[in-house]
Amino acid sequence: MPSVVDFSGVIALRGQYPVLAGLDLCIEQGEIVLLRGPNGAGKTSLLRACSGLLSIASGKASVLGYDLLASNQEVRKHIGFVAHQNHLYSDLWVRDQLRFRALAARAHDGDIRSICDRMEIPQRLLQLPTESLSAGQQRRVTIAAVALRRPRLWLLDEPHAGLDSEGRDLLDSLLQDAAKAGATIVFASHEINRAETIATRSISILGGQAVGGTNVS
Amino acid sequence: MFHDALLVARKDLIIERRAHVVLGQVSPLGLLILVVFGFAFDANVELLRLGSAGLFWVAVLFTGLLLVQRTFDVETEDGNLDALRLSGFLPQSIFLGKVIGLIVQLFLLEFALVIGLIVLFDVTVVDWLLFLAATVLGTFAFSVCGALFGALASGIRLRSTLLPLLLIPVLAPVLLAGTRAHEVALGLSSAPGWNWTGLLLVITAVYTSLGLVSFGPLLEDG
């Protein structure tokens, strides 16, 4: 299978501090990879580097066949990134929010209805300002907005945070279906027990380096 | 590129429609500035009428700065700038979208201010074509400068206080040219007013070119 993420000796800096310190990593298409490690280990930086949001200072870095050192713009079209923050405009209604994301991804109203059904976002919520939603509801909208992009590579940073048990099940099911359809999932989580139920591989990150990996299932 | 620019502008204008910042806060502030000028000049109508063109552009400058600030604040809250960078839009599209959004909001603001000028300062427009041309070109120039420097300031922690410091010197020629052209349009001066609209056109062209080239790197640093 082709490598979706192929990092070799990757160094990325935040200011003068190396957040990725010679990281080697290879992830293949269709994998669901759990990144584990303590706070500050470099999990978020790795996800941001994969998305092209964090510039790579040196090493060899390829994502979905795009050389990130040459350009980090093209790859972004194929990335779905669920970050710590929800990336939602507080004054927009949920419907406006999803329509903007859908139009940006060349998706249609039918896709919005479909993903809202999938994430169990009720119709009445679509008419509400995003800021009036609970944290869990906002998280569902964020995941729906990312899913509308039909990403080839999902990058998720603590995606279960704020979701109730039902929401977590819905997210896990969505990710597993995406992987079955050929997408690749990389996510960081501290909720190891739940995360390991969907991950096919687990990679430990420490000090900006991948220090070990195990097949989970 | 223009399709995506319109999407960004549409999104900004929907945010404005939902939040009512221009109509509910910024336009009343602009009118309040005109009223305060009225008090400052001791309600001397003749003096206010003579200075009305400059007062209009000063009111546009200070209230427009709030709109520029707001346009980029919505992107920095909740990490939206990252989502915009990942959207697949070209930086040029985002720049033009921001410009279009600002232009529409400034037009709404200026409409309220023109009404205020006519009512409060008893001004009469003698050359509507020049007046509209100067207003439109001045708004374009303001918007392209605002979008460019708003993006520049968006990555800076103290941006709310820094943006006026960066932007006001850049907008000074816009203020000057707009004021001179409006003085002619209001019959307060007989200088060649269209020359000043030409300057506004040049400023718009220069900063649009700069924005199209540099918005990408500015967005990455944001």
Side-chain angles (χ1 to χ4, degrees):
Chain A
M1 276 197 191
S3 290
V4 170
V5 177
D6 192 359
F7 279 14
S8 173
V10 164
I11 295 174
L13 305 172
R14 182 168 293 143
Q16 299 294 313
Y17 180 75
V19 286
L20 298 180
L23 183 130
D24 299 313
L25 181 67
C26 187
I27 296 173
E28 294 181 345
Q29 187 183 346
E31 281 195 287
I32 302 180
V33 175
L34 164 64
L35 302 177
R36 50 198 296 180
N39 292 335
K43 303 185 295 296
T44 300
S45 298
L46 172 55
L47 292 173
R48 290 179 66 80
C50 288
S51 70
L53 288 174
L54 176 65
S55 296
I56 289 163
S58 67
K60 290 169 79 174
S62 154
V63 172
L64 294 165
Y66 295 99
D67 181 356
L68 294 187
L69 275 92
S71 167
N72 57 7
Q73 296 286 329
E74 275 302 306
V75 72
R76 294 177 179 176
K77 294 175 185 167
H78 309 287
I79 301 286
F81 191 17
V82 178
H84 279 294
Q85 294 164 305
N86 281 320
H87 297 171
L88 298 175
Y89 296 98
S90 58
D91 288 320
L92 279 187
W93 290 2
V94 172
R95 186 192 60 200
D96 302 327
Q97 199 96 240
L98 291 174
R99 189 165 286 161
F100 174 62
R101 303 287 186 213
L103 289 171
R106 307 294 188 261
H108 306 286
D109 282 353
D111 299 316
I112 297 176
R113 280 192 295 276
S114 165
I115 193 62
C116 284
D117 290 344
R118 181 79 198 256
M119 289 308 296
E120 297 187 4
I121 299 169
Q123 286 294 310
R124 64 178 175 80
L125 286 192
L126 300 184
Q127 310 289 337
L128 294 177
T130 309
E131 64 183 349
S132 68
L133 269 53
S134 73
Q137 288 170 328
Q138 288 191 20
R139 201 61 170 168
R140 287 189 191 211
V141 173
T142 298
I143 293 161
V146 169
L148 279 169
R149 293 169 59 83
R150 295 182 293 275
R152 289 169 59 194
L153 173 61
W154 289 69
L155 303 167
L156 306 100
D157 201 353
E158 298 291 348
H160 298 105
L163 290 173
D164 57 18
S165 173
E166 189 189 4
R168 290 168 180 219
D169 290 342
L170 288 170
L171 171 62
D172 290 350
S173 155
L174 182 73
L175 294 179
Q176 285 174 316
D177 286 351
K180 278 180 201 156
T184 307
I185 320 287
V186 184
F187 71 112
S189 179
H190 290 293
E191 299 182 46
I192 301 299
N193 290 341
R194 171 169 280 275
E196 284 189 340
T197 62
I198 61 164
T200 54
R201 185 153 66 106
S202 160
I203 296 173
S204 294
I205 306 291
L206 190 64
Q209 294 180 322
V211 293
T214 53
N215 287 327
V216 178
S217 58
Chain B
M1 184 164 87
F2 287 105
H3 174 266
D4 291 345
L6 290 176
L7 277 183
V8 173
R10 181 176 174 274
K11 181 263 298 172
D12 279 359
L13 293 173
I14 293 175
I15 289 176
E16 164 48 31
R17 199 176 74 197
R18 303 284 186 234
H20 303 296
V21 170
V22 175
L23 294 177
Q25 295 174 28
V26 177
S27 295
L29 175 65
L31 291 172
L32 199 59
I33 289 173
L34 293 184
V35 171
V36 168
F37 277 131
F39 284 123
F41 289 101
D42 205 18
N44 183 332
V45 175
E46 187 52 28
L47 197 58
L48 287 168
R49 201 177 64 81
L50 286 173
S52 57
L55 298 183
F56 170 82
W57 283 105
V58 168
V60 169
L61 176 71
F62 287 114
T63 48
L65 276 171
L66 296 179
L67 293 180
V68 172
Q69 186 83 59
R70 160 91 180 151
T71 291
F72 286 91
D73 278 351
V74 298
E75 302 301 347
T76 48
E77 70 173 15
D78 205 18
N80 281 317
L81 205 55
D82 279 347
L84 207 55
R85 289 159 71 192
L86 287 169
S87 64
F89 293 149
L90 291 171
Q92 292 85 346
S93 301
I94 300 172
F95 171 69
L96 290 177
K98 288 287 173 194
V99 170
I100 295 168
L102 275 172
I103 286 171
V104 174
Q105 294 178 66
L106 281 169
F107 278 156
L108 288 172
L109 167 68
E110 287 163 353
F111 181 73
L113 289 175
V114 169
I115 301 286
L117 277 187
I118 292 170
V119 172
L120 295 172
F121 299 167
D122 195 27
V123 297
T124 309
V125 180
V126 296
D127 186 345
W128 274 105
L129 189 61
L130 177 60
F131 186 82
L132 289 175
T135 306
V136 168
L137 288 171
T139 305
F140 283 10
F142 192 114
S143 301
V144 290
C145 294
L148 186 58
F149 282 83
L152 177 68
S154 66
I156 299 170
R157 194 167 53 85
L158 298 173
R159 60 183 171 276
S160 57
T161 44
L162 192 64
L163 180 65
L165 275 177
L166 292 172
L167 196 49
I168 287 176
V170 173
L171 287 176
V174 178
L175 189 78
L176 177 70
T179 299
R180 293 289 172 264
H182 272 183
E183 281 174 349
V184 178
L186 295 174
L188 304 170
S189 162
S190 55
W194 286 100
N195 288 358
W196 293 104
T197 58
L199 176 60
L200 291 172
L201 189 62
V202 170
I203 294 170
T204 304
V206 168
Y207 280 98
T208 301
S209 308
L210 264 178
L212 290 173
V213 171
S214 62
F215 202 75
L218 289 177
L219 213 56
E220 291 303 306
D221 289 340

